[in-house]
Amino acid sequence: MVSSVERREKVKSIFIVSSGNFLEMYDFMVFGYYAKAIGETFFPTSNEFASLLLSLMTFGAGFLMRPVGAVVLGAYIDRHGRRKGLLLTLALMGLGTLSIACMPGYAQIGLVAPFLVLIGRLVQGLSAGVEVGGVSVYLSEIATKGNRGFYVSWQSASQQIAVVFAALIGLVLNAMLPIEQINAWGWRIPFFIGSALIPFLFIIRRLLQETAEFEAQKVRPTASQVFASVGRNLPTIVLGALMAEMTTVFFYMITAYTPTYGSSVLDLSPTSAMLVTLCVGLSNFALLPIMGALSDRVGRQPLLITCALLAIVSGYPALSWLAAQPSFGRLLAVELWLALIYAGYNGAMIVYLTEVMPPRVRTAGFSLAYSLATAIFGGFTPALATYLIAATDNPAMPGAWLSAAATISLLATLLLSRGAAKRAAAGIA
């Protein structure tokens, strides 16, 4: 039994370790919400679609650095500890957020502006590459017996607080400023708010204690040993990345892309689209710990398979129904349905990914798998969705991408589970 004192300490640790995770997701959400305004500021063209696409491609470019951060910073964390690594990632994330908040636009400094914005995104992506993995591994290592899914689910739940917070700021801005002023300069306000939170988040993360499991490791791998182990476990990492594809695609579709999709594609008001995003964040925050706990009771695989099948059969039909007669009610219903599928899948997937990685390179292996999924699939989902709609003149086409991602993840889950079962039968850790 866990004493009340131990329980309070674990709750405190969950809050502290998730704080930086909040900043990472807040930064990406704000960029996604104001992609159109950012495009007009840094990538002005005579074609509104081209400007938006360049902005979304820059949003996705940050994800290309995630695999690099996963390996390099993941090796640092596996060598020097979870606490030191998570402090470093927070500092890099803060730098990325501050850079875009203060960056002059194209009209002021020309081509230097989009170049520096891209650099800021790459730095942010480097740190984010290991943030999710570092937090997830930390939570898995402090979890009480039989509750690992519940504990690890708070990594994703903390991201939903960022979604809600960013959406609330967006709603306030929409109420206080006309759209012309938001597009001109108001979009910077959320980035300045995120920058102002950095000192507070850094102070509380310094209170983080190292995990007992890491401290118990008598031999800690060097960077070269981590890289070699990652190479040996590459098939598992690749399958893990494909298994994580559905999570990353769904997440960025129902959060970062929703305001742009609702206003630019469905012609709903920006306030309506932002309100839907707020509801999605609240729904995910409530559902993720429930689904994580459910995976502790029924197992990871049943949830993964069930949710993937639901995504395959309902992705395109749901968006077709929405596109046939766009409205606030339909957008809310579709997004909440997709959020339910996402929460069920993610609640089992994140913890399962920590369980299939070798302990000595758990952070690097997990982070690389998740970062590959985000870099290749999730981060470019808003840009890909925009392209698919323009290429086919069909506003429901993002639903086909959701179903395709779920199909790939389902196959990867089955292969990864079979491999894990074979290793367990052979007694291989």
Side-chain angles (χ1 to χ4, degrees), residues 398-418:
W401 173 228
L402 292 177
S403 296
T407 301
I408 293 171
S409 289
L410 175 60
L411 294 174
T413 297
L414 295 175
L415 290 173
L416 197 56
S417 298
R418 186 173 68 176

Side-chain angles (χ1 to χ4, degrees), residues 345-418:
Y345 188 85
N346 189 78
M349 191 281 297
I350 295 291
V351 64
Y352 184 64
L353 201 53
T354 69
E355 292 169 342
V356 298
M357 294 299 165
R360 291 183 65 196
V361 291
R362 184 173 287 153
T363 304
F366 177 104
S367 298
L368 182 56
Y370 195 85
S371 296
L372 285 171
T374 310
I376 299 172
F377 307 111
F380 285 99
T381 285
L384 180 60
T386 300
Y387 171 78
L388 289 173
I389 292 169
T392 63
D393 198 28
N394 180 358
M397 278 305 292
W401 173 228
L402 292 177
S403 296
T407 301
I408 293 171
S409 289
L410 175 60
L411 294 174
T413 297
L414 295 175
L415 290 173
L416 197 56
S417 298
R418 186 173 68 176

Side-chain angles (χ1 to χ4, degrees), residues 35 48 55 63 109 138 155 177 283 287-288 319 347 356 367 378 396 404:
E48 184 177 323
S55 178
F63 293 88
I109 59 175
Y138 185 93
Q155 178 274 128
L177 297 174
S283 171
L287 286 171
L288 281 164
L319 265 73
V356 298
S367 298

